[in-house]
Amino acid sequence: MELEAVAKSYARWAPVYDRTFGAVTNAGRRRATGFANQVGGSVLEVGVGTGLALPFYAPHMQVTGVDFSEDMLAKARQKVREQGLRQVRALQQMDARDLAFPDQSFDSVCAMHILSVVPEPERVMAEMARVCRVGGHVLVTNHFAAEGKGLMARVERLFAPLSDLLGWHSDFERARVLGDIRLQLVEEDGLPPFGMMTYLRLRRVA
Ligand SMILES: C[S@@+](CC[C@H](N)C(=O)[O-])C[C@H]1O[C@@H](n2cnc3c(N)ncnc32)[C@H](O)[C@@H]1O
């Protein structure tokens, strides 16, 4: 999706997101934040959206969230205020393809349900690798295209031309997030609902 389409689509999603897509995809947020909490220290959440994951970060964490959509960020800021989430240090409007942080700034970087939304996901992966410290982890949850010719793959291809309307690419390929040599895949798991989502843990190497 182009950035203009992202902004338009998520201005429509923002008021209903938590009660729809957001409500059935918490398993991935729990998994990624659980790992980041064990590591401790600082975490960058790229495409923080309405901030559904923010309450899952432990109080000892230092969380920075970025998103391109001001409408989604407004919802995240409201959660921080209403729930007193003191682990959240900053929420900033930013393009994930061009992160305004120095190299190796964070212990962990999370990207939940965003890689099939952003324009140029390979560039976003490169930016996440850059800002993650060597030895840290990039934690991804996403839906990836089903392989083969089964019903799921056919449904995904059917919806693919509607990406600007839906807000994501239904036929997004897993290989697109695995090409950066600084990120080594160390864990992969299927997640609810119905194993439709995938959790990837990638270790940042030198
Ligand atoms: C499906 S939502 C996921 C939100 C959140 N991570 C979650 O798990 O609920 C995708 C988010 O990616 C954001 N996004 C899309 N393209 C972006 C970009 N280039 N830079 C930053 N955020 C972007 C959208 O604004 C939207 O909030």
Side-chain angles (χ1 to χ4, degrees):
M1 290 173 72
E2 292 309 314
L3 270 189
E4 202 182 313
V6 167
K8 270 192 196 153
S9 176
Y10 284 91
R12 283 196 302 271
W13 268 112
V16 296
Y17 185 87
D18 290 6
R19 284 174 278 123
T20 52
F21 179 83
V24 293
T25 46
N26 260 340
R29 294 184 194 94
R30 290 260 184 214
R31 186 72 179 266
T33 56
F35 184 85
N37 288 340
Q38 272 177 28
V39 172
S42 59
V43 58
L44 172 67
E45 191 178 323
V46 178
V48 65
T50 62
L52 276 173
L54 296 177
F56 302 156
Y57 293 103
H60 64 267
M61 299 296 289
Q62 295 121 48
V63 182
T64 301
V66 299
D67 200 285
F68 188 74
S69 164
E70 284 290 6
D71 297 271
M72 296 291 270
L73 277 174
K75 295 282 180 190
R77 291 192 178 108
Q78 188 182 349
K79 279 193 189 68
V80 170
R81 259 194 326 271
E82 290 178 357
Q83 298 179 38
L85 302 174
R86 289 207 293 217
Q87 65 273 47
V88 181
R89 301 294 162 91
L91 289 174
Q92 292 174 247
Q93 201 266 345
M94 204 176 285
D95 184 351
R97 294 174 301 177
D98 190 14
L99 296 173
F101 304 107
D103 297 357
Q104 301 199 47
S105 299
F106 299 95
D107 295 300
S108 306
V109 180
C110 293
M112 294 171 281
H113 316 114
I114 162 172
L115 289 159
S116 52
V117 176
V118 290
E120 303 182 281
E122 294 84 357
R123 207 170 132 191
V124 175
M125 290 303 294
E127 274 296 83
M128 295 199 295
R130 182 182 67 75
V131 302
C132 184
R133 72 164 165 82
V134 170
H137 290 85
V138 171
L139 309 163
V140 170
T141 72
N142 216 88
H143 171 74
F144 297 114
E147 283 169 14
K149 296 182 176 165
L151 177 66
M152 195 62 186
R154 288 208 301 274
V155 171
E156 286 165 357
R157 279 196 295 273
L158 192 71
F159 280 95
L162 303 178
S163 60
D164 283 359
L165 193 68
L166 277 177
W168 58 82
H169 292 276
S170 56
D171 60 346
F172 183 68
E173 291 190 3
R174 173 182 169 278
R176 296 193 70 180
V177 305
L178 297 178
D180 196 300
I181 55 166
R182 292 165 297 179
L183 296 174
Q184 211 171 56
L185 181 63
V186 288
E187 191 180 359
E188 176 164 6
D189 238 340
L191 294 168
F194 314 115
M196 278 169 64
M197 299 291 161
T198 301
Y199 169 72
L200 302 176
R201 177 160 64 89
L202 302 126
R203 185 175 167 81
R204 166 73 151 97
V205 293

